[in-house]
Amino acid sequence: MMNSSGVAVEARGLTVQRGSRTVLSGLDFTVEPGRITGLLGPSGCGKSTLLRAVVGTQAKVTGTLRVLGRPAGHPALRPRVGYVTQAPSVYTDLTVRQNLDYFAAILQPGRGHHDTRRDAVTRALTEVDLTSHEGALAGTLSGGQRTRVSLAVALLCTPDLLVLDEPTVGLDPVLRRDLWHLFHALAAERGTTLLISSHVMDEAERCHRLLLMREGELLADDTPQALRTAAGTDTVEEAFLHLVEAAATRRENAR
Ligand SMILES: Nc1ncnc2c1ncn2[C@@H]1O[C@H](COP(=O)(O)OP(=O)(O)OP(=O)(O)O)[C@@H](O)[C@H]1O
Ligand SMILES: [Mg+2]
């Protein structure tokens, strides 16, 4: 169920304070359902803060933030929103399958569905291509494999909205490509909405829509194609630099 305007996430005047700083200031944006929206911007610009606000774990959030038709953080959203934090959270002394069994016991996927808990674990392991490692201790996995265990946990409940904080950082090109295939398959085949942060601009081209951020502000909310066309550039990276310069000029002129 989306809200009446048919968007998965709607933010109006979204502002977040962290300590004495305003880390996000008055953001307006929407996230379209069933599509991949990339949240791109340099380190420290506020990506993780924005994602935490969307999943409801960020304090001192003001403005309007609605997720799947409810206020962000509403208890009814818990089984519907999957979240993978920037640091993969897995138990290193459990095997891959034991990690998933543990989270499945808490999250209770499949309640009211045909999927049993065991089926949900097996499906999630297959989706992230870790079936061959299900008996390995999570502590012996590579960084990319641990990220995929965290992703599998987020997929247990077949979420309507999947929020991923830099899921491909540090992965080799083949794994990155495979993960992006999975993200596109989830959007196309299951209608999952994906909100994915990255500071690697070449990943922008793989998204349906982009939110470009800098220093707690949104520079753009558009498709990669529209951003390239508007800036008259060949890549989103060049378009981003163009937007940064334009914003700096506006600030100068406003002085
Ligand atoms: N507790 C805090 N008090 C004050 N400022 C904070 C606090 N936590 C984070 N910040 C600041 O908030 C800003 C946004 O941080 P955030 O983690 O959202 O950035 P990010 O875009 O996710 O960066 P990265 O790409 O490095 O993960 C940063 O400038 C950071 O220094
Ligand atoms: Mg971050």
Side-chain angles (χ1 to χ4, degrees):
M1 182 191 69
M2 299 299 155
N3 69 8
S4 54
S5 55
V7 297
V9 179
E10 181 176 20
R12 298 284 161 236
L14 176 68
T15 298
V16 175
Q17 293 283 135
R18 293 187 86 165
S20 56
R21 291 189 49 203
T22 302
V23 172
L24 302 182
S25 48
L27 306 191
D28 296 328
F29 64 88
T30 55
V31 173
E32 285 182 18
R35 311 290 279 167
I36 301 177
T37 298
L39 174 61
L40 278 103
S43 182
C45 73
K47 301 181 296 296
S48 296
T49 307
L50 188 153
L51 298 183
R52 286 160 51 90
V54 168
V55 299
T57 57
Q58 180 63 49
K60 294 192 180 169
V61 178
T62 52
T64 303
L65 184 57
R66 295 187 65 79
V67 176
L68 305 174
R70 298 193 187 260
H74 191 284
L77 293 173
R78 268 176 219 152
R80 302 185 61 204
V81 177
Y83 175 39
V84 179
T85 54
Q86 197 162 349
S89 33
V90 296
Y91 291 102
T92 51
D93 54 343
L94 297 181
T95 67
V96 170
R97 184 174 272 275
Q98 284 167 343
N99 264 282
L100 284 157
D101 284 340
Y102 172 74
F103 286 105
I106 297 169
L107 297 167
Q108 308 251 326
R111 265 205 309 197
H113 298 277
H114 301 299
D115 227 14
T116 64
R117 194 189 294 177
R118 193 177 162 74
D119 289 342
V121 169
T122 302
R123 173 186 47 73
L125 280 172
T126 308
E127 280 170 337
V128 301
D129 197 20
L130 274 181
T131 310
S132 59
H133 287 76
E134 66 172 38
L137 281 181
T140 66
L141 299 177
S142 72
Q145 289 167 334
R146 274 188 224 188
T147 301
R148 284 187 285 152
V149 176
S150 273
L151 183 58
V153 172
L155 291 172
L156 280 173
C157 286
T158 54
D160 297 319
L161 171 65
L162 195 50
V163 176
L164 307 175
D165 200 351
E166 305 216 26
T168 61
V169 79
L171 299 190
D172 69 67
V174 175
L175 266 180
R176 276 174 57 186
R177 184 202 58 197
D178 291 350
L179 272 184
W180 278 97
H181 280 164
L182 170 62
F183 301 156
H184 277 276
L186 287 169
E189 290 158 24
R190 206 184 281 162
T192 308
T193 306
L194 292 100
L195 179 57
I196 305 177
S197 76
S198 176
H199 61 255
V200 186
M201 282 291 165
D202 63 0
E203 301 213 302
E205 316 282 348
R206 300 175 185 268
C207 301
H208 298 120
R209 286 194 74 86
L210 294 171
L211 301 171
L212 296 187
M213 268 186 96
R214 188 161 189 268
E215 295 177 2
E217 292 180 359
L218 271 185
L219 294 180
D221 173 1
D222 219 327
T223 63
Q225 173 66 44
L227 287 166
R228 286 193 300 265
T229 306
T233 58
D234 291 333
T235 64
V236 170
E237 179 156 12
E238 289 168 307
F240 179 78
L241 293 172
H242 206 84
L243 287 163
V244 169
E245 281 162 24
T249 309
R250 271 199 307 278
R251 265 200 298 273
E252 280 294 310
N253 292 343
R255 273 196 195 141

